[in-house]
Amino acid sequence: MTSGLGGFAPKYQQIAEALRHDIQEGRYEPGERLPAETALAERFKVSLPTIRQAVGVLRSQGVVESKHGIGTFVRQDHRLERRSRSRYGRARSDGKLLTSHLRHDIVFAGPEQVPAPIAEAMGVPADTEVITRRRVLYDKNTDTPEEIGASYIPADIARGTFLEKRDVVPKALFLCVEDLSGKRYHHARDQWIARSATPEETITLGLTQGAQVLHVIHTARAEDGAILEVSESIWPADRVTIIDEYLIDQEANVPDAPSQI
């Protein structure tokens, strides 16, 4: 048995590393079942508990997944595509966001003091009251939690309205905000942050200890510069692909844009 960890690592870690190498080299394809524990124990000349420890390491790292009564399989990479710039276009025509494969669970709706990072995005003091709608989004097919999100709406727009109720809104949230404010979303700014998941995020999203997340703070303004909404989304970093498409000639006129040779 060879392992990049060296001979001093515990046996189960060496086995986990060897199996991970097999997967990376294509010996076991995504969705393919790993050999039975007894076969792996014979291959590596170790006991079944040691094999179970090794497989447990791979499972905790998201490399494999176990199906009760069936076996252990190489995890397939089902990444969700996130396209920030297209979030408004289609919704204006049919009133729905591109999240039909996700189930929304509204876990809180009502007034609260705005969190510090959101207050900074809004340009208001940290103790300012806003109307917050917090949610967890689940894959409809697997019921796997895929996103933690929240929307923060100025209280003078949403106070005393249906946005304070935990019901899923009848159409895209930004359309509701436009109706209530009498203003149209005009421009937005996305701030992307890659960081370690908090303990609460780790539990909610079913992550392993030390897992990374992508955290985006989306600030939407009206044409007059007024804040209409600040939203945040938190995604497991290994489950998303970020896609950004834009016209190059429009970007060419941006002042102080970095150049590459």
Side-chain angles (χ1 to χ4, degrees):
M1 176 176 60
T2 60
S3 168
L5 297 175
F8 296 103
K11 187 75 71 175
Y12 74 91
Q13 289 186 359
Q14 295 183 49
I15 295 170
E17 181 68 17
L19 289 173
R20 185 186 298 104
H21 181 266
D22 287 346
I23 292 169
Q24 291 172 341
E25 292 297 312
R27 180 171 180 177
Y28 305 116
E29 299 288 342
E32 183 178 348
R33 180 180 173 178
L34 291 184
E37 292 178 348
T38 51
L40 291 175
E42 182 177 349
R43 171 187 169 186
F44 292 107
K45 309 301 182 187
V46 296
S47 65
L48 285 177
T50 300
I51 290 296
R52 288 168 186 154
Q53 279 185 291
V55 172
V57 170
L58 297 179
R59 188 185 304 113
S60 69
Q61 295 173 342
V63 177
V64 301
E65 56 186 354
S66 296
K67 299 180 181 179
H68 184 67
I70 301 177
T72 300
F73 297 78
V74 178
R75 183 177 173 185
Q76 300 189 61
D77 190 4
H78 295 300
R79 289 178 179 258
L80 298 177
E81 291 188 356
R82 306 291 184 170
R83 299 173 181 261
S84 293
R85 298 193 186 206
S86 65
R87 66 191 298 166
Y88 297 111
R90 175 175 157 182
R92 289 206 180 278
S93 62
D94 62 16
K96 297 178 181 179
L97 292 179
L98 301 177
T99 54
S100 59
H101 61 289
L102 299 176
R103 171 177 64 82
H104 289 62
D105 184 4
I106 308 299
V107 297
F108 174 82
E112 69 172 11
Q113 291 186 347
V114 64
I118 307 303
E120 182 179 353
M122 284 185 157
V124 299
D127 59 353
T128 300
E129 183 179 279
V130 295
I131 303 304
T132 302
R133 293 178 60 83
R134 298 188 183 278
R135 60 193 175 273
V136 179
L137 276 62
Y138 298 84
D139 186 295
K140 286 183 179 179
N141 296 320
T142 64
D143 211 35
T144 302
E146 297 288 357
E147 176 183 329
I148 298 172
S151 292
Y152 306 90
I153 303 138
D156 60 355
I157 294 175
R159 184 187 289 113
T161 72
F162 63 93
L163 295 184
E164 292 189 274
K165 298 179 180 180
R166 286 178 55 183
D167 303 325
V168 175
V169 292
K171 54 186 176 181
L173 180 62
F174 83 92
L175 295 175
C176 298
V177 174
E178 288 187 342
D179 290 345
L180 293 170
S181 67
K183 297 182 178 182
R184 186 179 174 91
Y185 282 53
H186 183 264
H187 57 279
R189 176 179 184 268
D190 287 343
Q191 178 183 2
W192 296 88
I193 305 164
R195 58 171 175 78
S196 297
T198 66
E200 182 179 2
E201 292 163 357
T202 298
I203 294 172
T204 300
L205 293 171
L207 305 178
T208 58
Q209 192 69 28
Q212 297 291 299
V213 294
L214 289 179
H215 182 178
V216 59
I217 298 177
H218 178 81
T219 305
R221 297 177 180 269
E223 188 171 10
D224 63 3
I227 293 286
L228 294 179
E229 176 196 355
V230 174
S231 65
E232 61 179 344
S233 298
I234 298 163
W235 305 315
D238 64 344
R239 299 185 204 165
V240 297
T241 297
I242 308 302
I243 298 175
D244 192 13
E245 297 180 8
Y246 49 89
L247 296 175
I248 294 176
D249 59 346
Q250 290 185 352
E251 300 296 323
N253 296 323
V254 176
D256 300 325
S259 60
Q260 294 182 337
I261 299 177

